[in-house]
Amino acid sequence: MDQDKKKRKKGAVRDEYDDTASKPNSVAHKKQRIYTQEDAAFAKIYEDLAHEVSNVRRDATKLLLDKLSTHTSPDAEILAKVLRRLVRGLCSSRKAARSGFFLAFTEYLRLETLRLPEESADDELGPLVLRYVDEATTAEGKAPSQVSIPPEILEKTGVPIAYFRQEKRDYALGRVLTYQAMIESKFVFEAKGSTALWTTMLRKMLSQVKTLPWLKEEYCSMINNCIPFLAKKGQMNGYIDDILSVLAEQKLEHTPEGVALWLTVSANGKEISYPEDCWANKDPLDKREKPRLVRILKRGAGDELPGADGDKKRYSGGNQTRLSFAWNVLIFSFINRLDYKLSNKDAKREKRFKSFWKEMVDDILFAESASPERKSLGLQLLGSVINGCPLWAIPSVFSSNVMRCIVNQRSDSERLLHEAAKIPLDKIKGRVRAQPEAARSFVEALISSSGTVNFDHLTRTKTINNIINGTHGRFLLDLLGSIDSAVLTPGIWKLEAADVESHRRMLADMLLTLTRSRSVDLKEEWPKHLLQILLKFSYFYWEPSPEIPISAATREIFRSRLMSCINHMISSESQASEVCSTIITSLEKMKDRKEYSVLLKSDEGVQETLQRAISTVVRMDHNKNSGDVGSTRSPVTNAFLCLYTMTILQVYNGEPDAVSMLEEIDTAYKATIDGNENVKEAFDLLIEVLLGMVSKQSALSRKLAEQVFTVVAPKLTPSALQSMLDVLAQRENSAGQNALFDQDGDDGSDGVIEGLDDSDVEEVDGAISAEEDGASNGSAQDSESGDAMSDATDNDNEEELQRLDASLGEILKTGRSTAEEEATDDESMDDDEMMALEPHLTKVFQERKKASSKKRDNKDAKEMMINFKNRILDLLTIYVKQEYSNVLALDLILPLLQLILESTSKQLAEKAFNLLKQYIELCGKKKEGLPHPEDLESVWTTLQTLLERVSRKNAKLYQNACSRSSLFLVKVVTHMEQSSKNENGRQALGRAQDMFSGLQKRWLMDPKLEIQFSFFQNWLGWCNDMRKAR
């Protein structure tokens, strides 16, 4: 015994795969084998085949094939043993054994020089391989997986039933992988002789489905994948015939997988011998077989299969998580037939597919009563169909049940299929990226009668938005056509009129999203088409009219979106003129069409003015496109073209002042073109028009005004500049608004474009608040005096409200009584007394309502004035950048200082300070940047006024601005004196010193003067610099 143990320790390892070892009655110790180095080498290869690293598995496979190649001349016994070992390795779940052994076994079968074992009476390798497969994938002896063990015995032994179930599953998977390797290596098709090997393997595979129904999907999918290969081989009809015959023999033809195999064979095979009495006309898709096919698909993975004992065995598909290949085969087989038979009959083809999809998919996998498992399979199928179906089938795929499922699952993150419902949406995005022409089909499907315009909002995704953003070029025209049709035919949604208006607004938002998602090239066609759509729904009605007419509110939305789209398109002055030219051209073309009529109804005078302006714009565009020398429009002409166009649109919008603005623009343009003595007056008139545009809270009006002002800024006259500065001088309340717009105190709404919503209303730079507390920080401006000015009206309103409260208390004779006292007094009044108080109470409440409304109007007026002043500062910034050396720019200093001093908005004061700072810096950067005024006394007067006003407010921002401005003015006069009299500026410096000294003396003698020490410090520092420079 001791000697035997020592021998085992030295390497005598028993072969666990030896036939003698598996026999219980064999005398193993009498036939003990000693393993050689070759056996050890094979054992190392088998170990490496199960390694987790793929490179190790590949190297082991190569080494194994080298040992079995022809030049090593292995004997039959070794080949048989390797075959058994590889097959059994496929049954192992250890590490990556299945992957490694599958690769090795597949390559092993490719060897053409394998020798047959001597003990085999058969001269073909195929039957021998199948025999080894049966032996290696079956538990040896009386294993628990082969016999029925009573549960009570298993309970006493302590061995869990799951252990034996896993063992049985491992052997089944090993057999699946073995058959798959035989097919992938083409071994089963290359064997000598007839198709007997193929037929035998088919029977073995499909018969196993009776005991293990879950293998049906694996085996049938494997068979289905090899049918196209067999069809390409030419003389392979015998193999294909065997598939259908064995399928019928095993009674699987009436299962989803059986239907799929039948359809695949029909699509690939020629002169096939079909089994009799299986399907009407030997076709599962025959219309007479539709009820049976529906029943088969409804059973799905829970088909009734013939059991081993002949009884029906039902396999539930409740736990099925992977979609069967049969669904894809069925759907695409039907689509291919429709494409072949009805290629030129689109309507009929779509109708038939829509009916087929509803019966076979929609009512089965997406029915309202379908289980989550069924819907999960349906979502998987939907993703596959989206990837591969033709464009004409896409609308039918998104049926009512499908859309309801996706929306319901995506609308709530707690839903079981929330993430699964995202898969089809991701497939849509991928399909559009790969095939841009599919964008229109998907958008139409998602917003059609089965879908909804607010699909993105309901599903909390950006599906439609991403489709729009990812579509370019000529495909955008198709997409715009879909949106246009959806607006015209809202009846497809089957909604109430109010809901239809909401959907139309969302469609208008889509057009705006489409524009903003890309840079606009006016050489393309889609911008013109988009503008035409917006113009049509904004200003025209047509025949035949839509089923649900477009309301006035919806037209206002389209007008707003039109302005926003134009605002995005005009990135430059030249591009702005092109956009405006396109708008006028489109308006004229639609007016000439018989089915279109303009919504605007006006008198002959307005129509004449409007038509004259349109004719002028058309003439401008014609001159530019005429091709004559010098026909290119000048910047001034482009500016007038933009003004004409925007004012014409305002006339179509029905704005009351638009017609008069159009006449002013026309007058200014004619004076500019004629070049007469009224050019200056024309430019003054033009500035007034621009001021009217910037006073409106519209981003488009602001941008166009800035572009036009950039062109006319060099020709700005003193009177035109004064018009702009007058705006800055007005108070930021209702009184200032009334003075500026010559309106009465009851209307504070002038200057705001009605009908615009957030898409075109611009935001004021920074916060608009009169309650800014500048004293909270030493570096911030002190706004106490400005707040006092602004709050005067508010205080009056508060006093008015308090007076009304006192009147109400006097009427009720309760004063400021508590709630309990009021209840007691009410109980003491009878009906006559209460009726007598009613007229007095009505009057008091009316006055109180009027006071509250006045307070609200004052707040709106204040916001409007601050916004208007911000826009004026924007225009002045443009002027300063271009004309900083112009003498006229000196007139900006005092008004800007006044604005910094008196403004109730900290943001506005800082913006004025920055403008002043920028102006001074621009003048100092270049050698000839300083202005050269002819009248130096006017500059001295400005300096004197500035020094008198510096003591008005002890605020750092204001006095900093005064200090910078005073030094700048001294620099201007000094520079002029040096240039004209060549006296080195001494006289000017002396006069300036006298002025600053006088101010410093007043500051010293009067403690109430609020002038910061830094003001004089800056002056002395500048003087020191000048002294050193001499």
Side-chain angles (χ1 to χ4, degrees):
M1 286 292 292
D2 295 337
Q3 293 178 354
D4 292 339
K5 291 181 179 179
K6 291 179 180 180
K7 289 180 180 180
R8 293 192 188 99
K9 290 180 180 179
K10 292 180 180 179
V13 182
R14 182 172 64 89
D15 181 12
E16 62 176 321
Y17 299 109
D18 189 24
D19 289 341
T20 60
S22 63
K23 298 178 181 179
N25 297 326
S26 64
V27 187
H29 63 278
K30 291 182 180 180
K31 298 182 180 181
Q32 185 175 5
R33 289 185 55 190
I34 304 299
Y35 272 65
T36 64
Q37 289 184 348
E38 185 178 6
D39 294 329
F42 275 109
K44 179 64 169 62
I45 292 174
Y46 299 146
E47 181 66 23
D48 290 343
L49 286 176
H51 204 280
E52 289 91 343
V53 180
S54 60
N55 290 336
V56 177
R57 296 197 300 268
R58 284 197 298 268
D59 293 339
T61 301
K62 293 178 182 178
L63 186 57
L64 177 64
L65 294 179
D66 288 341
K67 287 184 172 295
L68 299 178
S69 61
T70 54
H71 70 274
T72 58
S73 300
D75 57 21
E77 183 179 356
I78 293 178
L79 293 178
K81 186 175 180 180
V82 170
L83 177 61
R84 292 193 187 96
R85 183 64 181 88
L86 291 177
V87 174
R88 295 198 59 144
L90 293 172
C91 302
S92 174
S93 58
R94 181 177 64 92
K95 296 183 180 179
R98 287 198 173 99
S99 298
F101 279 88
F102 178 79
L103 176 62
F105 184 61
T106 303
E107 296 303 322
Y108 174 87
L109 294 178
R110 294 182 190 275
L111 294 177
E112 299 178 357
T113 59
L114 286 176
R115 296 181 180 180
L116 298 177
E118 295 180 357
E119 66 270 18
S120 176
D122 195 349
D123 61 348
E124 293 186 5
L125 181 60
L128 184 63
V129 172
L130 291 181
R131 193 189 78 188
Y132 287 164
V133 170
D134 290 339
E135 292 176 358
T137 58
T138 304
E140 298 178 354
K142 296 296 183 179
S145 59
Q146 292 178 285
V147 296
S148 178
I149 301 178
E152 56 271 13
I153 296 179
L154 291 176
E155 184 178 356
K156 291 180 180 180
T157 59
V159 180
I161 298 178
Y163 173 82
F164 303 112
R165 291 176 179 172
Q166 182 61 39
E167 180 191 19
K168 191 173 182 179
R169 182 179 181 84
D170 287 340
Y171 282 119
L173 289 177
R175 181 167 294 196
V176 170
L177 292 175
T178 303
Y179 292 145
Q180 185 176 352
M182 294 176 68
I183 291 176
E184 289 190 8
S185 65
K186 309 300 186 293
F187 170 78
V188 70
F189 307 118
E190 300 295 339
K192 299 178 182 179
S194 63
T195 61
L197 178 62
W198 169 247
T199 305
T200 303
M201 192 181 73
L202 285 177
R203 287 195 177 96
K204 287 180 177 295
M205 287 192 297
L206 297 182
S207 62
Q208 197 176 2
V209 174
K210 298 178 181 178
T211 55
L212 297 174
W214 58 273
L215 291 177
K216 176 165 56 70
E217 160 72 13
E218 299 292 339
Y219 284 138
C220 292
S221 176
M222 194 186 307
I223 297 170
N224 186 77
N225 291 337
C226 71
I227 292 176
F229 165 76
L230 294 174
K232 293 179 181 179
K233 294 287 287 185
Q235 300 176 354
M236 303 295 285
N237 282 348
Y239 289 92
I240 296 178
D241 291 341
D242 290 342
I243 295 175
L244 296 183
S245 61
V246 175
L247 194 68
E249 177 186 306
Q250 299 297 326
K251 299 181 180 179
L252 294 174
E253 71 276 16
H254 293 154
T255 64
E257 289 75 15
V259 172
L261 290 177
W262 193 292
L263 292 174
T264 305
V265 168
S266 302
N268 290 276
K270 297 179 180 179
E271 300 179 0
I272 302 298
S273 299
Y274 293 97
E276 299 292 337
D277 301 329
C278 288
W279 300 98
N281 201 22
K282 300 179 181 180
D283 183 12
L285 296 180
D286 189 275
K287 60 181 180 181
R288 290 169 290 181
E289 295 290 354
K290 184 179 292 186
R292 182 193 293 184
L293 188 58
V294 171
R295 289 195 301 271
I296 291 173
L297 294 177
K298 281 185 177 180
R299 289 198 301 267
D303 304 278
E304 292 182 352
L305 302 176
D309 54 359
D311 297 332
K312 293 289 185 180
K313 180 179 179 180
R314 188 170 188 81
Y315 174 67
S316 174
N319 294 326
Q320 183 181 358
T321 58
R322 189 179 67 175
L323 180 71
S324 172
F325 77 97
W327 289 93
N328 283 306
V329 173
L330 176 65
I331 298 300
F332 286 102
S333 295
F334 190 78
I335 289 176
N336 292 336
R337 290 194 183 189
L338 292 178
D339 275 334
Y340 178 74
K341 296 180 179 179
L342 303 173
S343 59
N344 297 325
K345 300 178 181 179
D346 293 342
K348 189 175 182 180
R349 178 176 56 183
E350 294 173 15
K351 182 179 180 181
R352 288 189 60 183
F353 178 73
K354 184 176 182 179
S355 175
F356 178 82
W357 177 269
K358 185 178 186 306
E359 293 177 350
M360 303 299 171
V361 179
D362 200 53
D363 292 340
I364 297 176
L365 298 180
F366 291 101
E368 191 172 357
S369 58
S371 64
E373 290 82 4
R374 293 294 186 197
K375 291 180 180 178
S376 175
L377 297 178
L379 292 171
Q380 295 178 46
L381 175 62
L382 181 63
S384 300
V385 174
I386 288 173
N387 264 346
C389 71
L391 298 183
W392 59 263
I394 290 176
S396 301
V397 168
F398 290 91
S399 53
S400 56
N401 286 339
V402 170
M403 294 300 296
R404 181 177 63 248
C405 176
I406 294 176
V407 170
N408 290 344
Q409 297 298 330
R410 288 299 305 171
S411 61
D412 186 0
S413 60
E414 299 297 325
R415 293 268 188 168
L416 188 61
L417 301 178
H418 178 74
E419 290 301 322
K422 188 181 178 182
I423 295 176
L425 304 183
D426 292 338
K427 297 289 186 181
I428 292 175
K429 300 173 189 176
R431 176 77 181 271
V432 172
R433 282 194 298 268
Q435 189 181 8
E437 59 267 26
R440 176 173 186 171
S441 299
F442 281 114
V443 170
E444 287 181 348
L446 295 178
I447 67 175
S448 65
S449 57
S450 299
T452 175
V453 178
N454 59 338
F455 179 84
D456 282 358
H457 174 72
L458 294 177
T459 59
R460 300 181 182 181
T461 62
K462 294 183 178 180
T463 305
I464 297 179
N465 187 63
N466 288 336
I467 293 175
I468 293 175
N469 294 345
T471 307
H472 301 280
R474 59 185 178 86
F475 305 114
L476 274 176
L477 294 176
D478 297 334
L479 195 58
L480 289 172
S482 299
I483 298 176
D484 187 10
S485 300
V487 177
L488 287 173
T489 56
I492 60 176
W493 296 311
K494 301 176 182 178
L495 301 172
E496 298 295 332
D499 296 328
V500 168
E501 295 304 318
S502 174
H503 280 59
R504 281 173 169 164
R505 172 171 182 161
M506 295 176 190
L507 291 171
D509 291 337
M510 283 187 190
L511 295 175
L512 180 57
T513 300
L514 187 150
T515 305
R516 286 177 171 175
S517 63
R518 68 203 72 233
S519 58
V520 179
D521 185 1
L522 294 177
K523 295 180 180 179
E524 298 180 330
E525 289 296 324
W526 73 264
K528 300 176 183 178
H529 190 44
L530 183 142
L531 291 174
Q532 290 172 2
I533 293 174
L534 291 171
L535 289 170
K536 176 174 66 174
F537 295 121
S538 299
Y539 305 118
F540 293 89
Y541 62 90
W542 54 91
E543 295 294 340
S545 59
E547 180 181 350
I548 300 179
I550 300 177
S551 66
T554 301
R555 293 188 184 277
E556 288 294 336
I557 295 299
F558 275 98
R559 292 169 187 171
S560 172
R561 299 301 179 265
L562 172 64
M563 298 301 173
S564 299
C565 289
I566 296 173
N567 183 40
H568 178 78
M569 291 180 180
I570 53 174
S571 58
S572 63
E573 172 261 332
S574 59
Q575 192 165 10
S577 63
E578 292 298 325
V579 172
C580 293
S581 177
T582 300
I583 291 173
I584 297 300
T585 303
S586 300
L587 282 173
E588 286 298 286
K589 287 182 178 179
M590 282 188 281
K591 286 168 62 178
D592 293 339
R593 295 175 60 177
K594 295 182 179 179
E595 64 269 25
Y596 286 100
S597 300
V598 181
L599 286 170
L600 179 66
K601 303 299 181 184
S602 57
D603 54 31
E604 293 182 1
V606 173
Q607 290 291 343
E608 183 180 351
T609 302
L610 185 61
Q611 190 57 44
R612 184 170 58 250
I614 293 176
S615 300
T616 302
V617 175
V618 172
R619 188 164 53 254
M620 291 179 186
D621 189 57
H622 176 73
N623 292 337
K624 189 246 182 183
N625 297 325
S626 62
D628 297 336
V629 178
S631 61
T632 302
R633 287 193 299 259
S634 65
V636 175
T637 304
N638 285 336
F640 273 104
L641 190 149
C642 294
L643 288 178
Y644 269 117
T645 302
M646 296 312 304
T647 312
I648 288 171
L649 291 181
Q650 292 177 18
V651 173
Y652 277 110
N653 289 339
E655 297 185 22
D657 297 335
V659 177
S660 59
M661 287 179 60
L662 200 57
E663 293 175 347
E664 293 173 355
I665 295 171
D666 194 52
T667 302
Y669 175 71
K670 289 181 178 179
T672 304
I673 297 300
D674 296 340
N676 54 32
E677 63 278 2
N678 298 324
V679 173
K680 292 185 178 181
E681 296 179 2
F683 273 97
D684 291 347
L685 197 59
L686 183 60
I687 294 300
E688 293 294 335
V689 173
L690 295 181
L691 293 181
M693 293 179 65
V694 298
S695 68
K696 300 170 183 178
Q697 294 182 5
S698 168
L700 175 60
S701 297
R702 172 191 173 185
K703 181 179 285 189
L704 279 176
E706 291 178 355
Q707 290 185 354
V708 174
F709 186 79
T710 302
V711 176
V712 303
K715 300 181 181 180
L716 191 67
T717 62
S719 58
L721 179 62
Q722 188 59 45
S723 299
M724 302 171 68
L725 298 178
D726 288 343
V727 177
L728 300 181
Q730 296 298 330
R731 298 175 61 183
E732 295 159 4
N733 53 24
S734 57
Q737 184 187 40
N738 295 337
L740 193 61
F741 293 99
D742 296 329
Q743 63 188 40
D744 55 28
D746 295 334
D747 185 8
S749 61
D750 275 6
V752 180
I753 298 179
E754 298 183 1
L756 292 182
D757 58 7
D758 294 340
S759 69
D760 190 51
V761 174
E762 66 173 338
E763 297 179 358
V764 181
D765 302 331
I768 299 176
S769 176
E771 288 76 22
E772 300 279 1
D773 187 5
S776 62
N777 192 319
S779 62
Q781 79 168 29
D782 184 6
S783 57
E784 291 180 359
S785 60
D787 289 342
M789 293 171 59
S790 174
D791 292 341
T793 306
D794 292 342
N795 292 336
D796 293 342
N797 292 334
E798 291 294 339
E799 294 176 359
E800 181 69 15
L801 292 175
Q802 293 176 4
R803 186 184 64 80
L804 293 175
D805 286 340
S807 300
L808 180 62
E810 182 66 24
I811 293 173
L812 297 176
K813 295 181 181 180
T814 60
R816 296 291 184 181
S817 62
T818 63
E820 297 165 342
E821 291 172 343
E822 289 176 0
T824 304
D825 292 340
D826 290 341
E827 292 175 358
S828 64
M829 290 185 181
D830 55 20
D831 294 342
D832 294 338
E833 291 175 332
M834 291 296 294
M835 293 298 295
L837 290 177
E838 183 177 0
H840 302 285
L841 293 175
T842 300
K843 182 178 180 180
V844 169
F845 284 122
Q846 287 177 347
E847 292 179 355
R848 183 179 179 86
K849 182 178 180 181
K850 184 181 296 185
S852 299
S853 176
K854 186 176 181 180
K855 183 177 181 179
R856 183 172 59 254
D857 291 342
N858 287 336
K859 182 179 179 181
D860 294 340
K862 180 178 180 178
E863 292 179 356
M864 183 267 167
M865 287 298 298
I866 293 177
N867 179 50
F868 194 8
K869 289 184 178 182
N870 270 288
R871 303 290 75 83
I872 296 297
L873 292 179
D874 291 335
L875 297 181
L876 292 178
T877 301
I878 296 173
Y879 179 74
V880 163
K881 288 180 179 180
Q882 296 185 19
E883 300 294 318
Y884 56 87
S885 60
N886 194 322
V887 177
L888 189 61
L890 290 171
D891 294 343
L892 296 176
I893 295 177
L894 290 180
L896 290 177
L897 289 175
Q898 182 180 358
L899 180 62
I900 297 172
L901 175 68
E902 298 179 352
S903 176
T904 60
S905 170
K906 178 182 176 181
Q907 173 268 330
L908 189 61
E910 290 177 347
K911 190 170 185 177
F913 174 80
N914 291 331
L915 173 57
L916 190 60
K917 178 182 176 183
Q918 184 181 23
Y919 168 55
I920 295 174
E921 290 176 349
L922 287 172
C923 291
K925 281 184 178 181
K926 296 186 179 181
K927 185 176 181 181
E928 300 298 329
L930 289 174
H932 296 73
E934 297 180 359
D935 184 11
L936 285 180
E937 285 302 319
S938 62
V939 181
W940 288 112
T941 303
T942 302
L943 178 60
Q944 184 63 40
T945 305
L946 187 155
L947 295 178
E948 292 175 357
R949 294 180 180 180
V950 71
S951 60
R952 289 187 179 183
K953 191 174 187 180
N954 183 18
K956 187 173 183 179
L957 185 67
Y958 173 67
Q959 295 207 357
N960 188 5
C962 289
S963 177
R964 287 173 178 267
S965 301
S966 61
L967 296 178
F968 171 72
L969 291 173
V970 173
K971 187 184 296 186
V972 170
V973 294
T974 304
H975 178 72
M976 286 297 299
E977 187 177 89
Q978 291 174 348
S979 302
S980 59
K981 299 181 180 181
N982 195 20
E983 295 182 1
N984 211 14
R986 291 180 180 180
Q987 184 177 353
L989 286 174
R991 184 173 178 180
Q993 178 62 45
D994 293 340
M995 297 174 68
F996 275 90
S997 298
L999 178 63
Q1000 187 175 4
K1001 181 179 180 180
R1002 289 171 51 206
W1003 172 69
L1004 179 62
M1005 303 302 295
D1006 187 359
K1008 295 183 179 180
L1009 286 182
E1010 297 180 348
I1011 304 177
Q1012 294 183 358
F1013 172 69
S1014 59
F1015 181 85
F1016 300 104
Q1017 193 175 26
N1018 292 337
W1019 163 249
L1020 292 175
W1022 185 84
C1023 290
N1024 184 52
D1025 294 339
M1026 290 294 295
R1027 184 174 179 272
K1028 291 181 179 180
R1030 290 174 183 275

